[in-house]
Amino acid sequence: MIGEPQQLDLAPWIKRFPGEPGTATIVFPHAGGAAAAYRNFARALTAHGVDTFIMQYPQRGERLAEPPAESVTDLARDMLDAVDWAGLGPVRLFGHCMGALVGFEFARLAEQRGVGVRELWASASQAPATVAGSSPVPTTDSGLLADIVDLGGTDASLLDDEDFLELLLPAVRSDYQAFNRYTCGREVRVAADIHAVGGRSDHRVEPDLLRAWECHTDGAFTLTMFDGGHFYVDDHLDEVAELVSCT
């Protein structure tokens, strides 16, 4: 049975799915992703007793009118400033794709402030130190559309909807620009354990890029692979939720 969740003054752009006290897990969406895309995952986590918080980045949902963040670190700082996370005990972080980089920067900043972070689940994401040496992601409309199609995970019929694209493309562009500006040295580490997770058929984030996360932790490191592509989580909601909740 889920106990009474701690009462928090949350901004409307933070979506909470209450679970057991002491299990706070913060979910950071992928580039261009809205909080709504992670509702099913949050429900799966809650079924395992996890107190789940999904973050919403600027340029979408309730934050549509807000200016984009200049950097991945700015996004992380925004998320850290939003709640008294220290009052929830050591937290878990789960970030998908660019969200894992946001989670890493969140962990780094949190440690500087004395906020406990137990572990970071880096899902379908290249390690921070590999970003600067990789090719920049596109930011033109045509390039963004091609990249979205290549990654999968978006209903193809929606990509023919001009109103949907009018909302989607600015959000993706702002996140991609933040990603392109990101740099991090191999020497930058966090105390939290890092667990890399990916899809065996993900042609964008291969196992070597996931393994590179190991250099960024002073704690434990694990690598877990599931069948599927870049958005493998959608096909393994309960299995991933169980994995995250059992540590």
Side-chain angles (χ1 to χ4, degrees):
M1 176 180 289
I2 293 177
E4 186 67 25
Q6 180 176 334
Q7 296 301 308
L8 297 171
D9 183 19
L10 296 178
W13 51 266
I14 299 176
K15 310 303 179 184
R16 186 182 193 183
F17 292 72
E20 293 287 353
T23 63
T25 299
I26 309 168
V27 177
F28 302 94
H30 58 280
Y38 291 83
R39 285 175 181 164
N40 288 337
F41 181 52
R43 292 187 183 104
L45 286 169
T46 301
H48 289 276
V50 177
D51 194 14
T52 306
F53 300 79
I54 312 176
M55 300 292 101
Q56 184 87 288
Y57 305 148
Q59 297 278 287
R60 69 217 75 187
E62 302 86 349
R63 309 186 73 183
L64 184 62
E66 294 186 28
E70 286 294 312
S71 68
V72 169
T73 304
D74 286 343
L75 276 174
R77 186 178 293 108
D78 182 35
M79 309 289 111
L80 183 60
D81 291 342
V83 178
D84 179 16
W85 299 112
L88 292 171
V91 298
R92 295 186 186 102
L93 312 176
F94 181 96
H96 189 78
C97 196
M98 188 195 77
L101 300 177
V102 180
F104 178 75
E105 290 300 313
F106 181 102
R108 189 177 61 79
L109 294 171
E111 288 179 3
Q112 294 173 5
R113 297 189 191 182
V115 176
V117 177
R118 292 173 52 184
E119 58 207 9
L120 166 64
W121 291 86
S123 173
S125 174
Q126 64 187 101
T130 70
V131 174
S134 60
S135 299
V137 289
T139 56
T140 63
D141 283 0
S142 60
L144 290 171
L145 275 172
D147 204 59
I148 291 167
V149 170
D150 181 62
L151 285 171
T154 303
D155 187 337
S157 65
L158 292 175
L159 299 180
D160 293 326
D161 185 327
E162 291 185 4
D163 291 335
F164 175 75
L165 290 179
E166 190 174 339
L167 294 173
L168 176 66
L169 292 182
V172 179
R173 181 178 292 106
S174 65
D175 292 349
Y176 276 22
Q177 288 171 337
F179 175 87
N180 284 339
R181 297 183 187 110
Y182 185 71
T183 60
C184 180
R186 286 178 55 84
E187 75 284 356
V188 180
R189 296 181 177 88
V190 294
D193 296 343
I194 294 181
H195 305 290
V197 193
R200 293 188 180 94
S201 302
D202 186 353
H203 64 285
R204 295 287 288 271
V205 183
E206 297 180 346
D208 284 351
L209 291 175
L210 291 167
R211 290 191 191 98
W213 277 96
E214 187 171 7
C215 75
H216 290 296
T217 177
D218 287 326
F221 172 79
T222 64
L223 171 61
T224 305
M225 302 298 291
F226 288 88
D227 289 337
H230 192 67
F231 289 97
Y232 73 92
V233 177
D234 294 338
D235 298 321
H236 301 279
L237 290 172
D238 190 63
E239 296 97 320
V240 178
E242 183 176 12
L243 184 67
V244 172
S245 65
C246 286
T247 56

